[in-house]
């Protein structure tokens, strides 16, 4: 197979290379490939069938409801893709000289400005590749701040509620901190008594998700951030659930100093397959000196990548992050406008509360408080009665063309199913989903044995999940 660029027609990213300092013809011969890449020889038709077959075997937002809690599997507008595929964006090379990439640097600069407005922060880096990576970066910045102030040896603890995503304690531990776990109360919020007694001179900071992973807004958030600041610590906001509050309240107003956004979740990039993502990290002025390098600065002569920043934690990945995710995220908010951004959150909260009420009339919800953009079902009672577990219900949903909710998380809810419908689903879809859940609950009582065998309609039934996690087959087989 030969790649013949001259023959491809101009269009969505195929031809028209961007300006390059050295034309191909003048490039040093030693740098050019001597033989074509040994790619498998197959025709376009076969290739198209192969990918269509893979598509049929997978589940995406394009073919069904996908209420995977905390992951915000919203429909991603095609407009984002069209913009991200423009040659000026997707044929750029990370080593291209700055002066030939002014438009792209301008995009990063504009995105920084708008996302500062949405989050109430003063500066943002788009370098981290995902939320977890953003957390690691943010906690490293908190540590650099305490080091600079000579308090690192004293401040060894990060406080984290027990409902937190597992990446939070991992990010704190990877930065050398001791994790102090704070229990949640019966209302699903942080237990304030436990919090007050945990915060003190050893506190480096708190990591908090709001609304939390139970889908509940921390009603004491102002007191929490106040307590930490008074003790000399800093407040980190895990922004994975921003889809519930964007345009309504921002983490800056809640008292946070540093945050990450999962641009691929809240701000619309397809992310079911594991990437690429963007865990943009925003911070208040006091933490700006510690941001990773380079940062994009605007000067008299245009945009430039600034490396000379002595207090920076350094680089956390190559170049300046997954740029095309930033393009999509910027396109998304510009096309929605500030009213649209707010409306998206309102729709997400409305949809979650609607579905929560329609599934068994709210009987199985783990917390009775009104939810934000997601809610958690606790099925331990159903399991005791019928032997049907959260896993069985999740498998049963597959036969209705529904991707299972997040299972067995948060860890503090037994037999948990965490449901996040997002704002892009219609009332009809929510009604159908509620009907599927309710049918499965009936089946649990009437034909539990059958439900243990679900799913019946998918290409893969019940794989050995331990084996699949330990020994995944990650490569295409050529035989
Ligand atoms: C998804 C998620 C993360 C991690 O983000 P990734 O982009 O998957 O690395 C962290 N916290 C919460 C609450 C999340 O939902």
């Amino acid at each position: 197979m030969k790649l013949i660029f001259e023959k491809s027609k101009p269009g969505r990213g195929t031809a028209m290379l961007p300006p390059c300092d050295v034309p191909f013809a003048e490039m040093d011969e030693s740098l050019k490939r001597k033989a074509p890449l040994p790619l498998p020889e197959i025709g376009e038709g076969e290739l198209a069938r192969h990918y269509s077959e893979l598509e049929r075997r997978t589940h995406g937002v394009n073919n069904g409801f996908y209420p995977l809690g905390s992951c915000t599997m919203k429909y991603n507008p095609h407009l984002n893709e069209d913009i991200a595929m423009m040659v000026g964006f997707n044929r750029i090379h990370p080593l291209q000289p700055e002066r030939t990439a002014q438009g792209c640097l301008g995009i990063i600069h504009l995105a920084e400005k708008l996302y500062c407005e949405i989050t109430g922060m003063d500066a943002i880096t788009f370098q981290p590749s995902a939320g977890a990576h953003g957390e690691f970066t943010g906690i490293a910045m908190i540590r650099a701040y305490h080091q600079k102030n000579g308090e690192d040896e004293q401040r060894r603890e990060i406080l984290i509620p027990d409902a937190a995503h597992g990446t939070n304690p991992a990010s704190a531990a990877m930065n050398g901190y001791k994790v102090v776990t704070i229990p949640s109360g019966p209302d699903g919020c942080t237990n304030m008594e436990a919090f007050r007694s945990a915060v003190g001179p050893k506190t480096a900071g708190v990591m908090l998700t709001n609304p939390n992973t139970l889908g509940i807004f921390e009603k004491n958030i102002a007191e929490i951030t106040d307590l930490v600041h008074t003790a000399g610590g800093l407040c980190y906001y895990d922004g994975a659930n921003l889809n519930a509050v964007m345009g309504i309240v921002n983490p800056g107003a809640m008292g946070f100093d540093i945050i990450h956004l999962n641009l691929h979740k809240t701000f619309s990039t397809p992310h079911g397959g594991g990437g690429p993502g963007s865990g943009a990290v925003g911070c208040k002025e006091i933490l700006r000196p510690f941001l990773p390098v380079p940062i994009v600065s605007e000067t008299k002569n245009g945009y430039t990548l600034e490396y000379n920043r002595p207090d920076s934690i350094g680089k956390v990945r190559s170049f300046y992050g997954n740029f095309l995710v930033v393009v999509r995220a910027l396109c998304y908010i510009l096309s929605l406008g500030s009213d649209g951004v707010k409306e998206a959150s309102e729709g997400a909260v409305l949809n979650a509360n609607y579905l929560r009420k329609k599934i068994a009339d709210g009987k199985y919800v783990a917390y009775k408080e009104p939810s934000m953009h997601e809610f958690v079902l606790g099925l331990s009672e159903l399991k005791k009665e019928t032997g049907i577990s959260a896993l069985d219900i999740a498998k049963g949903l597959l036969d209705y063309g529904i991707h299972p909710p997040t299972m067995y998380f948060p860890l503090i809810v037994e037999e948990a199913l965490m449901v996040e419908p997002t704002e892009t689903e219609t009332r009809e879809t929510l009604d159908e989903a509620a009907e599927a859940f309710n049918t499965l609950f009936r089946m649990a009582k009437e034909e539990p044995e059958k439900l243990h065998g679900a799913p019946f309609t998918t290409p893969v039934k019940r794989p050995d999940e331990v084996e699949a996690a330990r020994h995944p087959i990650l490569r295409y087989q050529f035989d």
Side-chain angles (χ1 to χ4, degrees), residues 70 130-132 135 165 167-168 209 213 238 240-241 260 262 264-265:
S70 213
E135 292 170 29
H165 198 263
T167 49
N168 289 189
T209 313
T213 58
D238 176 331
N241 290 344
H260 81 254
N262 303 64
H264 46 287
K265 294 181 181 174

Side-chain angles (χ1 to χ4, degrees), residues 326-402:
V326 181
V327 172
R328 287 182 181 91
L330 181 63
C331 176
Y332 181 66
I333 55 170
L334 286 177
S335 53
L336 282 181
S338 55
D339 288 347
V341 165
K342 182 169 173 232
E343 223 181 294
S345 279
E346 289 168 348
V349 174
L350 178 65
N351 275 1
N353 281 284
Y354 181 79
L355 187 57
R356 176 182 189 266
K357 174 82 178 130
K358 289 215 77 163
I359 294 178
D361 199 24
K363 177 178 169 194
Y364 297 115
V365 288
Y367 293 87
K368 302 301 168 199
E369 279 64 24
S371 54
M372 298 295 289
H373 67 307
E374 67 190 0
F375 58 92
V376 177
L377 303 176
L379 300 182
S380 55
E381 198 185 309
L382 183 79
K383 191 175 175 191
K384 256 183 245 134
E385 261 175 52
T386 65
I388 289 298
S389 64
L391 178 77
D392 291 319
I393 298 293
K395 295 289 180 191
L397 286 168
L398 290 166
D399 287 327
Y400 290 88
I402 295 175

Side-chain angles (χ1 to χ4, degrees), residues 127 137 289-294 309-317:
Q127 208 176 97
T137 304
F290 308 102
L291 281 168
V293 282
R309 301 178 60 79
D311 289 330
S312 164
I313 59 164
K315 266 176 145 338
V316 295
R317 63 155 284 166

Side-chain angles (χ1 to χ4, degrees), residues 421-433:
T422 84
E423 72 281 9
T424 57
E425 298 300 337
T426 61
R427 183 169 173 175
E428 288 73 18
T429 301
L430 300 179
D431 287 341
E432 282 168 22

Side-chain angles (χ1 to χ4, degrees), residues 112-225:
E112 181 177 351
K113 212 167 98 187
L114 297 181
Y115 279 101
C116 277
E117 197 179 318
I118 289 179
T119 58
M121 294 290 126
D122 298 319
I124 286 188
T125 173
F126 294 105
Q127 208 176 97
S129 306
H133 195 191
E135 292 170 29
F136 176 78
T137 304
I139 299 300
M141 288 170 64
I142 289 182
R143 182 142 192 217
Y145 171 89
H146 291 311
Q147 277 167 343
K148 181 87 182 172
N149 294 336
E151 293 194 354
D152 182 50
E153 279 177 32
Q154 164 201 338
R155 297 190 182 277
R156 301 295 335 132
E157 295 178 353
I158 297 276
L159 315 181
I160 304 178
D162 59 2
H165 198 263
T167 49
N168 289 189
S171 301
M174 281 176 71
N175 276 294
Y177 282 116
K178 178 175 169 231
V179 174
V180 178
T181 306
I182 311 293
S184 305
D187 57 355
C189 289
T190 300
N191 179 323
M192 288 308 291
E193 213 173 298
F195 193 84
R196 277 187 215 106
S197 58
V199 68
K202 288 190 195 159
T203 305
V206 64
M207 286 183 95
L208 217 134
T209 313
N210 194 24
N212 63 26
T213 58
L214 300 164
I216 295 169
F217 194 90
E218 286 282 356
K219 55 179 182 273
N220 299 309
I221 193 63
E223 187 187 347
I224 288 173
T225 53

Side-chain angles (χ1 to χ4, degrees), residues 131 278 282 288 319 351 445:
S278 174
R288 188 196 287 269
F319 310 109
N351 275 1
K445 290 178 184 147

Side-chain angles (χ1 to χ4, degrees), residues 46-58 459:
E46 295 303 306
L47 192 70
R49 281 181 192 161
H50 171 68
Y51 283 112
S52 298
E53 174 59 21
L54 290 182
E55 193 188 342
R56 263 196 298 279
R57 285 165 158 257
T58 53

